[in-house]
Amino acid sequence: MLIAFWIVSGLVALAFFAAGFMKLVRPKAALAASGMAWTEDFTEPTLKVIGAAEVLGAIGIVLPALTGIAPILSPIAASALALVMVGAIVVHVRRKENPTVNVVLLVLAATSAVLGFAALLG
């Protein structure tokens, strides 16, 4: 169970860290030009908050479990990222865009959360 947690959590953390970091460092216009048309519906500060949430969530999945300090935070962070993906799916559906990537990330984040809670319960 623990090995499955680390595999899934590593993939989730990598994906969310990359996506969040991109939202933090690139301006809104560059994000929109790169195919993220949904960014037109949000202000620049909101995009930065979304990016920060994704980066912190990615760190929150790995760091507590890795250090053994408050490891309960790892599945909680994964659960929070799953909720972020629920919001992303709503945005894409309202815009009549394909939410497949968000659904996959939602499933992976939820799986990471379940595996993390299961590993803690032993």
Side-chain angles (χ1 to χ4, degrees):
M1 191 70 68
L2 190 59
I3 293 171
F5 167 76
W6 279 112
I7 291 169
V8 174
S9 296
L11 292 171
V12 170
L14 184 63
F16 277 101
F17 189 86
F21 187 75
M22 182 176 55
K23 290 178 189 90
L24 281 173
V25 299
R26 296 183 75 191
K28 179 180 174 178
L31 293 171
S34 70
M36 294 184 177
W38 62 269
T39 58
E40 297 166 1
D41 293 351
F42 296 92
T43 64
E44 182 99 22
T46 302
L47 294 174
K48 301 304 179 197
V49 167
I50 293 169
E54 290 175 348
V55 167
L56 292 174
I59 293 168
I61 287 176
V62 176
L63 196 59
L66 187 64
T67 63
I69 300 171
I72 188 70
L73 294 177
S74 289
I76 291 172
S79 300
L81 287 174
L83 290 176
V84 170
M85 284 301 97
V86 169
I89 290 167
V90 169
V91 168
H92 287 290
V93 168
R94 284 185 181 167
R95 291 180 52 89
K96 296 179 178 41
E97 297 172 344
N98 185 353
T100 303
V101 172
N102 303 103
V103 171
V104 170
L105 288 172
L106 167 64
V107 169
L108 287 173
T111 302
S112 175
V114 169
L115 290 171
F117 285 122
L120 287 172
L121 296 174

